[in-house]
């Protein structure tokens, strides 16, 4: 009599599982639990990476951006699980909960403080890496696309461009960002002034909740759907898919970069840029990349590169610039007309002539030891303050500042439409960054420098609260301490990221994950135990 097919699969699983997990009781229990809780077989030999295998470090480092969190002294996961199917993610949640295992979830590895692949607050922990879940389904007739969490934003852009030359999606400039985590924080990019954030253009989602159920917008309810679009990653569940609204783009898009140094009047130009950046035509996005360069005479100077994407042709761009920002002196030869996908490659820093297929590789162009911070600016920074800023930048080896303009659609969307609250009244956002190469011993000086710079900028940026962008994670703002997160302590950084929306996020968290299963150093906490009954009474 032939053996049932299920029994043969089960036997194969047990034999392979035993060889892979023999030296790790936690992995053995987890893998067996996953097998019992999914209808689609998990290929154990390729779905798990353990520290005693040669491929473990390679895979751990594969998408991690910040080398500070890959040094030997940093905690490492007990093992890495790479789901091949949505049901495997369900099983991972069910089994982690049953076995009391703390998990971290990584889609693209861009978390600035490594929270998607490192746990400072709880050990042991397991990493669930979604990089094999990278499907993209584009429906031009419906003006929409479904993108799986492990796909990069560049893959999504490429798949859209293959279906249409006049459709796009308004999300990040860095094309190796994982779709899953990127949109949970807001997802800004060069079309934000025209169409808002990526999160503003999400129309549905699929998420694994704390009970291992897959929920869509209808079944999760509007409160949870609101929270996951800009409320930060890994607080409410695991994103599997986003359904996004595609937006119209012209067949011709114009790009330019105009560099200026202090000797060429960069200070005056930046002061003027602050006065016009948020008021320019909403088709025009001009950010400024500020760095320290050699002036050609062996001395340091500050350089400001005015880096732009314009949704239209060069003739209309020159007309707008002539009326609104003639001080930059933009000329026709500074400009390049291209397609929307061409502008994606340009703003993403790829060399001229790079084929768009490179976006399918999903590889990061930036991998360093670094520390970053952020601010929002509501009044132009005076020229005298800028001069003090230049002096401080020239004290550091490799500093970088990026000023991203607001206004346009960003001023028309309510602060509470989604959890991302940084809307009307903000002229631009600042990203501060210092990067370095070398060993851990170099870290302290660079960290102290960026903290001093941040303190210097305090009088010139938003106040009460001094706001920050959640996708530029900054653990200097405060951290949770394990499963019993303090609502009061979390409010310090929570209000900086989310302003008045923080309390609503906590309310949603208390409703959908009252025991704080999904947690990390800056996850949304539930209300304290004494208040949970009151919250439930309001449902």
């Amino acid at each position: 009599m032939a053996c049932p097919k299920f029994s043969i699969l089960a036997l194969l699983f047990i034999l392979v599982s035993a060889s892979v997990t023999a030296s790790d009781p936690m992995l053995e229990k987890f893998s067996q639990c996953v097998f019992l809780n999914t209808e689609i077989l998990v290929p154990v030999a390729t779905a798990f990476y353990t520290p005693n295998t040669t491929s473990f470090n390679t895979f751990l480092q594969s998408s991690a951006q910040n080398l500070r969190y890959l040094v030997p002294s940093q905690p490492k996961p007990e093992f890495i699980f790479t789901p091949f199917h949505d049901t495997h993610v369900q099983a991972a949640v069910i089994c982690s909960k049953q076995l009391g295992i703390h998990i971290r979830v990584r889609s693209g590895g861009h978390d600035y403080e490594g929270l998607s692949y490192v746990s400072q607050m709880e050990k042991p922990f397991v990493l669930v890496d979604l990089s094999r879940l990278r499907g993209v389904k584009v429906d031009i007739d419906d003006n929409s696309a479904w993108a799986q969490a492990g796909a990069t934003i560049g893959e999504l852009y490429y798949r859209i461009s293959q279906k249409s030359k006049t459709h796009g999606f308004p999300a990040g400039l860095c094309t190796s960002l994982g779709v899953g985590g990127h949109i949970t924080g807001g997802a800004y990019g060069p079309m934000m002034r025209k169409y808002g954030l990526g999160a503003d253009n999400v129309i549905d989602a699929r998420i694994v909740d704390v009970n291992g159920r897959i929920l869509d917008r209808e079944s999760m309810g509007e409160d949870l759907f609101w929270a996951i679009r800009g409320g930060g990653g890994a607080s409410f569940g695991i994103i599997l898919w986003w359904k996004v609204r595609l937006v119209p783009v012209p067949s011709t898009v114009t790009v330019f970069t105009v560099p200026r140094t202090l000797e060429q009047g960069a200070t005056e130009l930046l002061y003027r840029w602050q006065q016009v950046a948020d008021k320019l035509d909403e088709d025009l996005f001009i950010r400024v990349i500020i760095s320290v360069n050699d002036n050609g005479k062996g001395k340091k100077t500050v350089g400001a590169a005015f880096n732009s994407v314009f949704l239209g042709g060069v003739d209309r761009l020159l007309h707008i610039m002539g009326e609104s920002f003639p001080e930059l002196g933009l000329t026709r030869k500074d400009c390049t007309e291209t397609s929307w996908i061409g502008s994606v490659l340009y703003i993403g820093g790829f060399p001229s002539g790079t084929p768009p297929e490179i976006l399918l590789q999903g590889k990061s162009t930036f991998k360093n030891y670094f520390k970053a911070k952020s601010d929002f600016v509501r009044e132009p920074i005076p020229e005298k303050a800028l001069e003090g800023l230049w002096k401080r930048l020239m004290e550091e080896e490799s500093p970088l500042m990026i000023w991203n303009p607001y206004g346009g659609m960003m001023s028309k969307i309510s602060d509470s439409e989604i959890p991302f609250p940084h809307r009307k009244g903000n002229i631009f956002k600042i990203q501060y960054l210092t990067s370095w190469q070398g060993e851990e011993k170099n870290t302290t000086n660079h960290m102290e420098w960026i903290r001093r710079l941040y303190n210097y900028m305090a009088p010139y940026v938003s106040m009460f609260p001094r706001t920050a962008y959640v996708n530029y994670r900054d653990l200097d703002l405060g951290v949770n301490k394990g499963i019993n997160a303090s609502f009061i302590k979390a409010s310090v950084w929570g209000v900086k990221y989310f302003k008045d929306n923080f309390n609503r996020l906590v309310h949603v968290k208390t409703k959908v994950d009252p025991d704080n299963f999904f947690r990390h150093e800056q996850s949304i906490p539930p209300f304290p135990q004494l208040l949970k009954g009151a919250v439930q009474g309001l449902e």
Side-chain angles (χ1 to χ4, degrees):
M1 180 176 174
C3 294
K5 184 178 180 182
F6 176 80
S7 298
I8 295 172
L9 289 175
L11 179 61
L12 286 171
F13 175 86
I14 291 168
L15 290 172
V16 175
S17 176
S19 65
V20 172
T21 67
S23 61
D24 191 333
M26 180 188 291
L27 175 55
E28 183 175 6
K29 290 179 181 178
F30 182 87
S31 60
Q32 290 177 359
C33 178
V34 167
F35 174 73
L36 294 172
N37 283 279
T38 180
E39 296 177 358
I40 298 177
L41 190 67
V42 176
V44 176
T46 53
F48 291 93
Y49 295 81
T50 59
N52 59 359
T53 58
T54 55
S55 55
F56 176 82
N57 281 328
T58 300
F59 192 83
L60 178 63
Q61 296 171 14
S62 60
S63 65
Q65 286 282 103
N66 197 338
L67 298 181
R68 280 200 295 130
Y69 292 102
L70 295 176
V71 296
S73 61
Q74 288 289 337
K76 303 295 187 293
E78 287 290 297
F79 57 87
I80 303 170
F81 175 48
T82 62
F84 283 75
H85 192 274
D86 290 353
T87 60
H88 299 165
V89 183
Q90 289 182 276
V93 170
I94 291 167
C95 296
S96 298
K97 194 175 179 184
Q98 284 182 4
L99 299 170
I101 297 172
H102 181 53
I103 62 171
R104 294 296 166 105
V105 182
R106 180 169 75 176
S107 57
H110 279 246
D111 190 290
Y112 273 22
E113 297 282 17
L115 302 187
S116 61
Y117 51 92
V118 174
S119 173
Q120 305 284 354
M121 69 184 198
E122 289 179 74
K123 297 179 272 292
F125 70 98
V126 169
L127 171 58
V128 178
D129 184 285
L130 305 179
S131 58
R132 288 191 167 111
L133 302 177
R134 52 198 321 136
V136 176
K137 305 171 183 177
V138 178
D139 185 342
I140 294 299
D141 292 337
D142 188 50
N143 289 313
S144 68
W146 280 99
Q148 220 165 3
T152 65
I153 203 70
E155 288 176 273
L156 174 58
Y157 292 160
Y158 177 82
R159 298 299 181 195
I160 295 168
S161 73
Q162 291 300 292
K163 291 289 186 74
S164 170
K165 305 304 180 188
T166 55
H167 287 76
F169 180 63
L173 299 88
C174 177
T175 58
S176 58
L177 290 160
V179 168
H182 179 47
I183 293 176
T184 63
Y188 80 88
M191 293 199 292
M192 61 187 281
R193 302 189 65 252
K194 178 75 170 182
Y195 296 116
L197 306 172
D200 292 323
N201 291 277
V202 168
I203 51 181
D204 205 342
R206 293 189 186 130
I207 182 173
V208 178
D209 77 352
V210 70
N211 297 310
R213 301 173 300 173
I214 293 181
L215 307 176
D216 62 9
R217 178 175 184 172
E218 182 179 1
S219 55
M220 78 176 75
E222 288 301 305
D223 279 349
L224 181 53
F225 185 63
W226 174 85
I228 62 177
R229 292 173 297 145
S235 286
F236 305 99
I238 300 179
I239 300 293
L240 295 175
W241 294 83
W242 292 111
K243 185 180 184 182
V244 300
R245 178 191 302 111
L246 304 185
V247 300
V249 296
S251 56
T252 299
V253 176
T254 305
V255 296
F256 70 80
T257 301
V258 175
R260 294 287 185 265
T261 63
L262 297 185
E263 294 79 5
Q264 296 170 321
T267 303
E268 295 80 5
L269 261 181
L270 277 166
Y271 183 67
R272 177 61 183 158
W273 176 89
Q274 294 180 86
Q275 295 170 322
V276 302
D278 63 322
K279 303 174 186 65
L280 294 171
D281 188 295
E282 62 184 19
D283 287 334
L284 179 56
F285 173 91
I286 307 176
R287 66 172 180 166
V288 188
I289 303 170
I290 301 169
S291 58
V292 172
N293 310 307
D294 189 295
N295 68 355
K297 300 178 182 178
K299 293 185 178 181
K300 287 183 176 181
T301 188
V302 171
F306 294 82
N307 181 224
S308 178
V309 172
F310 175 67
L311 299 174
V314 65
D315 290 336
R316 189 162 77 90
L317 169 62
L318 290 172
H319 177 74
I320 290 169
M321 290 294 288
E323 286 192 340
S324 304
F325 192 19
E327 294 84 355
L328 187 61
L330 184 71
T331 65
R332 187 174 294 271
K333 69 177 182 179
D334 295 320
C335 303
T336 301
E337 290 188 333
T338 183
S339 61
W340 172 70
I341 198 66
S343 75
V344 165
L345 294 165
Y346 180 87
I347 205 80
F350 291 97
S352 177
T354 301
E357 285 71 22
I358 198 167
L359 299 174
L360 298 177
Q361 297 179 12
K363 291 183 178 179
S364 172
T365 56
F366 180 89
K367 209 175 184 90
N368 275 305
Y369 296 85
F370 71 89
K371 173 64 181 176
K373 290 179 170 293
S374 61
D375 265 317
F376 288 85
V377 178
R378 300 177 70 87
E379 297 288 341
I381 301 168
E383 288 188 40
K384 188 170 182 61
L386 292 178
E387 291 167 0
L389 176 59
W390 310 151
K391 180 180 177 181
R392 286 160 175 81
L393 288 178
M394 286 191 277
E395 293 171 357
E396 178 67 345
E397 292 177 20
S398 185
L400 186 70
M401 292 178 71
I402 302 176
W403 294 9
N404 284 285
Y406 272 55
M409 181 58 74
M410 293 299 291
S411 295
K412 299 172 187 176
I413 299 172
S414 164
D415 289 4
S416 59
E417 181 70 21
I418 63 172
F420 180 98
H422 315 291
R423 304 288 187 171
K424 188 175 182 179
N426 290 295
I427 302 174
F428 62 101
K429 175 174 80 258
I430 297 177
Q431 178 180 189
Y432 312 90
L433 193 142
T434 178
S435 61
W436 62 96
Q437 296 292 336
E439 300 175 7
E440 263 182 285
K441 63 184 180 182
N442 296 323
T443 297
T444 302
N445 289 341
H446 299 291
M447 299 283 277
E448 289 179 351
W449 173 82
I450 199 168
R451 287 165 182 157
R452 289 195 304 271
L453 181 70
Y454 186 73
N455 290 338
Y456 169 77
M457 291 296 291
Y460 311 111
V461 297
S462 61
M463 300 179 187
F464 312 116
R466 183 176 183 178
T467 50
Y469 178 39
V470 68
N471 270 0
Y472 294 158
R473 286 277 181 202
D474 182 3
L475 294 186
D476 288 350
L477 303 180
V479 296
N480 298 323
K481 300 289 187 182
I483 191 168
N484 296 313
S486 165
F487 168 73
I488 299 299
K489 290 181 179 178
S491 297
V492 175
W493 53 260
V495 169
K496 290 177 181 290
Y497 290 143
F498 306 113
K499 297 172 68 174
D500 292 343
N501 294 331
F502 179 66
N503 284 338
R504 184 178 174 189
L505 287 168
V506 173
H507 179 99
V508 176
K509 172 74 170 182
T510 306
K511 184 168 66 170
V512 303
D513 184 17
D515 297 322
N516 202 22
F517 174 76
F518 294 110
R519 60 187 182 272
H520 56 72
E521 286 77 359
Q522 284 190 344
S523 57
I524 303 296
F527 278 120
Q529 194 67 38
L530 290 173
L531 296 178
K532 287 180 182 176
V535 172
Q536 291 166 358
L538 294 173
E539 300 304 329

